[in-house]
Amino acid sequence: MNSTTVALLTNPGIIAVDQDSLGKQGKRVWQQGPEEIWVKPMADGSVVVGMFNRVAGTANIALPFSLVGVKGTVDAVDLWNQKDLGVIKNYRQVLVGSYGATMLRLSMSQ
């Protein structure tokens, strides 16, 4: 197994989503052609958003908060890249790579 595969399989943010005590399944909330947005509520009140691009070429996918059940200002974390995106408000454009996925955890700002 190469280091990229090991990093993916041992990513603590992704494991936490899988092992969340709420036990709710994610559901698709939007699809347009090959682009999809899925949402999973978490026990701590945050939501995890999966954005998928199922074709060659990058996609700039709009993420209106109303679509995923959050309001106002949230703290955002890119779970795949283990990167804090800081505070975002109401709406976000997300660049998703060719045949790729992006996974964000959105938590209410303090």
Side-chain angles (χ1 to χ4, degrees), residues 30-42:
W30 179 85
Q31 179 181 14
Q32 185 171 349
E35 300 169 2
E36 296 183 19
I37 298 175
W38 288 65
V39 177
K40 175 182 170 72
M42 303 293 285

Side-chain angles (χ1 to χ4, degrees), residues 6-62:
V6 171
L8 177 64
L9 294 174
T10 60
N11 180 314
I14 302 299
I15 292 170
V17 172
D18 177 62
Q19 299 297 314
D20 186 65
S21 63
L22 189 60
K24 289 228 175 177
Q25 180 175 320
K27 66 178 180 176
R28 185 172 60 198
V29 295
W30 179 85
Q31 179 181 14
Q32 185 171 349
E35 300 169 2
E36 296 183 19
I37 298 175
W38 288 65
V39 177
K40 175 182 170 72
M42 303 293 285
D44 67 358
S46 66
V47 295
V48 173
V49 178
M51 304 177 78
F52 300 90
N53 173 20
R54 301 186 188 281
V55 295
T58 58
N60 204 6
I61 301 174

Side-chain angles (χ1 to χ4, degrees), residues 7 13 29 45 51 54 60-61 66 70 75 80-81 87 91 95:
V29 295
M51 304 177 78
R54 301 186 188 281
N60 204 6
I61 301 174
S66 60
V70 296
D75 293 314
W80 286 126
N81 296 308
V87 175
Y91 177 86
L95 189 62

